[in-house]
Amino acid sequence: MTVERRSAPLGRSRRPTIKDVAEAAGVSRSTVSRALTGRGYAASDVRERVLRAAAELGYVPDVMARTLKQQVSRSVGVLVSDLRNPFYAELAAGASREARERGYTMVLADTSLSAEAEGEAAEALVALRVAGVVVTPNSSAVSTYLSSHGIPVVEVDRQFAAGSTDGVVVGNRVGARTATAHLVGLGHRRIALFIDETDWTTGYERYQGYLEALSAGGIKVDPELVVSSGWDVTGAHRRALDMLRGPDRPTAVFAANNVLAEGVWRAIGELGLRVPGDISLVAFDDAPWMSMVSPQVSAVSQDTFNLGATAVRRLDERIERPESDSVTTVLNVRLVERESTAPPPAL
């Protein structure tokens, strides 16, 4: 005989309220509020009693109710372009830690370089009444929209609204000039630039740094060596195959970001070419894979974690002082020389 044992479904227990905490601690609800938020006076022994009662009851503040009352939350939005790219993942990690340390909850959204997704995410953040937003913008539209709703914005990595919103960027022009000058100093004259775009501040500044280094080295720019290589590894790989198959291929490549560098690296290997014996390679963005392959790839390193953290610090300052002038912070970069660059092969 089979015996079935049945039990009643677990009932949902009532969520503890601020009233429950007040009764357990023997104080008023307003005292509980002051003790838990740190706003207003509460004696240290009373605060400890309230915190202990809240912990024992498992009390969690109703953030939405507080938001509705105060018209703003202790949440910040972070909109990034593509979390599949380790650059944006690291930036978001830096932003998350800084937000947590400053008492904010971070709401993260990946826009996948889509203007539509970016707009939808911005609308959601407005609806959530976030205190501010850090964004790697695709255009000026998102910053304009958020600002029109009174939400402080910090543009990070690139800027479209410099002068009207705060920004945190890196020395893109200096980094690109240093990387290209390194190749020039090794004797390279045919240096290709793989770049995704030149309209955004990142792409434009890196392109200008490349041009400046060539000019300083007395090298005339060859438009055929400036390759618009798309936004992903596949596009860069395809363009690199086309360029490097030819008899008049460059002796060196400067890839303007880590994704493009990966596409070029794969193409070099697929064609049976040697780095740096046949072609030198240097990149902007020191992605983890660059120090894991052989030979290791020389790269312009930027502290991406600190980039995200600095953006949240700047946002917190803007939230506290909304009327102060907008500020653009530029973080330093450095060239990490590894094994992927050498003098050009003898003809």
Side-chain angles (χ1 to χ4, degrees):
M1 182 176 67
T2 302
V3 178
E4 293 186 356
R5 295 183 178 181
R6 298 175 181 270
S7 59
L10 293 174
R12 180 179 295 175
S13 59
R14 184 176 67 86
R15 178 178 177 177
T17 66
I18 195 171
K19 180 181 178 183
D20 297 326
V21 177
E23 290 177 352
V27 297
S28 67
R29 279 180 283 186
S30 60
T31 298
V32 171
S33 178
R34 291 196 301 273
L36 293 178
T37 63
R39 297 189 180 94
Y41 175 75
S44 58
D45 61 324
V46 172
R47 177 173 283 107
E48 290 177 8
R49 194 163 73 244
V50 169
L51 293 174
R52 186 166 56 250
E56 291 173 352
L57 291 170
Y59 173 72
V60 178
D62 188 336
V63 175
M64 289 306 296
R66 186 186 301 169
T67 297
L68 290 171
K69 182 178 180 179
Q70 298 177 353
Q71 297 299 306
V72 69
S73 72
R74 289 296 294 178
S75 298
V76 292
V78 176
L79 305 184
V80 297
S81 300
D82 185 359
L83 283 172
R84 295 170 300 176
N85 185 332
F87 171 83
Y88 294 110
E90 184 75 1
L91 187 153
S96 176
R97 191 180 72 174
E98 190 67 26
R100 187 169 62 253
E101 290 181 352
R102 290 175 178 267
Y104 292 103
T105 299
M106 188 178 88
V107 181
L108 177 64
D110 181 346
T111 66
S112 300
L113 289 170
S114 163
E116 181 179 2
E118 184 179 67
E120 290 172 354
E123 290 176 2
L125 293 175
V126 170
L128 288 171
R129 291 186 170 94
V130 295
V133 174
V134 169
V135 58
T136 60
N138 298 329
S139 71
S140 61
V142 64
S143 297
T144 300
Y145 173 78
L146 291 168
S147 296
S148 71
H149 285 271
I151 295 179
V153 180
V154 174
E155 296 182 327
V156 62
D157 182 52
R158 49 189 178 261
Q159 281 191 282
F160 286 95
S164 58
T165 63
D166 296 311
V168 179
V169 298
V170 300
N172 289 295
R173 187 185 297 240
V174 171
R177 185 169 62 238
T178 301
T180 308
H182 170 64
L183 296 171
V184 172
L186 289 170
H188 293 278
R189 308 290 293 179
R190 289 184 54 75
I191 304 170
L193 169 66
F194 275 66
I195 194 163
D196 45 12
E197 51 72 37
T198 55
D199 295 324
W200 296 358
T201 51
T202 42
Y204 176 78
E205 293 292 335
R206 292 175 192 182
Y207 177 54
Q208 293 302 312
Y210 166 79
L211 295 179
E212 289 171 5
L214 293 185
S215 176
I219 301 172
K220 185 178 180 180
V221 178
D222 182 351
E224 296 296 320
L225 294 179
V226 178
V227 183
S228 179
S229 39
W231 297 94
D232 54 28
V233 172
T234 301
H237 173 255
R238 184 172 57 250
R239 294 304 304 274
L241 285 175
D242 291 341
M243 170 170 280
L244 300 179
R245 276 196 184 105
D248 197 24
R249 66 172 179 257
T251 62
V253 171
F254 169 44
N257 65 46
N258 65 302
V259 172
L260 306 184
E262 183 178 343
V264 174
W265 174 268
R266 292 184 183 186
I268 292 172
E270 188 173 323
L271 293 171
L273 299 172
R274 296 168 302 134
V275 175
D278 297 311
I279 187 163
S280 288
L281 174 63
V282 64
F284 204 113
D285 295 341
D286 188 14
W289 69 266
M290 295 178 185
S291 58
M292 299 166 66
V293 297
S294 181
Q296 296 181 359
V297 179
S298 299
V300 175
S301 175
Q302 52 180 315
D303 189 343
T304 312
F305 190 93
N306 186 44
L307 188 67
T310 302
V312 171
R313 282 197 295 274
R314 181 62 235 164
L315 181 63
D316 188 39
E317 292 167 0
R318 172 59 57 193
I319 292 168
E320 294 299 319
R321 295 186 291 277
E323 302 305 320
S324 60
D325 293 339
S326 61
V327 175
T328 296
T329 303
V330 181
L331 304 183
N332 293 330
V333 297
R334 64 187 181 92
L335 176 63
V336 180
E337 296 183 31
R338 296 194 177 105
E339 305 163 341
S340 64
T341 59
L347 300 178

